[in-house]
Amino acid sequence: KAGVTQTPRYLIKTRGQQVTLSCSPISGHRSVSWYQQTPGQGLQFLFEYFSETQRNKGNFPGRFSGRQFSNSRSEMNVSTLELGDSALYLCASSQIPGTNNSPLHFGNGTRLTVT
Amino acid sequence: GESVGLHLPTLSVQEGDNSIINCAYSNSASDYFIWYKQESGKGPQFIIDIRSNMDKRQGQRVTVLLNKTVKHLSLQIAATQPGDSAVYFCAETSNFGNEKLTFGTGTRLTIIP
């Protein structure tokens, strides 16, 4: 079974631009979560989607948004990019939240560099 | 605010020895804990998890111990191998099934051949 797939792997953007990252969860997984990883702040939760609905949201500004499609694939968008948005963005999926043996499985991330 | 922290940022272990990675958490409502391994250039890889109604859980070469009294979590890796070299993160959530995990800062484990 294929793992969580994130595209693109690397991205370079300029301040003020916007970016869209894509995530395909493991087949059969319906929950998708997004995390930001930086050397200074570590791994921080952005948001989680289940059945196309945002279930949880972390403490990030409104410039960060996401959505989930009917096939469980997800995208996250960052508008008006700032230098501090440079990070590894990780997507994770799980089967159905709240069930046994349904831990988060992560993709290898999208490395975003803002110049 | 609530946080999950690690006692040691780095740990070096001789190949074949056992290693223990520790993690302290502060949220007394935490009820689900996970250990992840992250290798360079990759995302975190699930190792093992434990719910708060247990104090020990074993996997293949790994054991997680949970002490709720002192809010402490540990990961034991038996007979370490070079492939065990990575950064290890503990994570917790206060609502089982809540995918909003709080991660620790990570411990870099280096296996010495």
Side-chain angles (χ1 to χ4, degrees), chain A residues 26-115:
Chain A
I26 293 172
S27 179
H29 284 196
R30 295 170 57 189
S31 171
V32 173
S33 302
W34 289 89
Y35 286 78
Q36 181 196 65
Q37 186 174 27
T38 60
Q41 300 297 319
L43 279 148
Q44 292 188 294
F45 173 80
L46 280 157
F47 26 65
E48 183 228 342
Y49 289 88
F50 176 68
S51 294
E52 303 178 65
T53 301
Q54 187 179 87
R55 284 205 326 152
N56 277 302
K57 190 177 190 304
N59 297 323
F60 279 82
R63 300 185 296 108
F64 292 80
S65 63
R67 60 176 176 168
Q68 185 180 34
F69 302 96
S70 59
N71 60 359
S72 295
R73 194 176 67 83
S74 177
E75 289 180 346
M76 68 162 282
N77 185 77
V78 188
S79 62
T80 321
L81 284 166
E82 301 177 358
L83 295 178
D85 297 333
S86 294
L88 180 67
Y89 289 88
L90 292 159
C91 173
S93 72
S94 63
Q95 286 183 318
I96 300 175
T99 61
N100 288 327
N101 301 317
S102 184
L104 286 184
H105 293 273
F106 283 84
N108 288 327
T110 293
R111 172 74 62 186
L112 172 65
T113 302
V114 182
T115 62

Side-chain angles (χ1 to χ4, degrees), chain A residues 9 31 33 35 37 43 45 48 55-57 88 90 94 97-100 103-104 106-108, chain B residues 32 34 36 38 41-46 49 51 57 89 96-104:
Chain A
R9 282 300 310 273
S31 171
S33 302
Y35 286 78
Q37 186 174 27
L43 279 148
F45 173 80
E48 183 228 342
R55 284 205 326 152
N56 277 302
K57 190 177 190 304
L88 180 67
L90 292 159
S94 63
T99 61
N100 288 327
L104 286 184
F106 283 84
N108 288 327
Chain B
Y32 182 52
I34 311 173
Y36 284 93
Q38 188 172 26
K42 295 184 178 182
Q45 176 189 354
F46 170 83
D49 58 359
R51 296 188 66 178
R57 192 168 187 214
F89 293 95
F96 178 63
N98 182 346
E99 307 325 62
K100 184 178 180 179
L101 298 177
T102 298
F103 280 83

Side-chain angles (χ1 to χ4, degrees), chain B residues 47-49 56-64 75-76 78:
Chain B
I47 301 174
I48 192 168
D49 58 359
K56 180 179 180 179
R57 192 168 187 214
Q58 289 183 293
Q60 187 176 14
R61 286 201 304 119
V62 295
T63 300
V64 55
L75 176 70
Q76 300 177 0

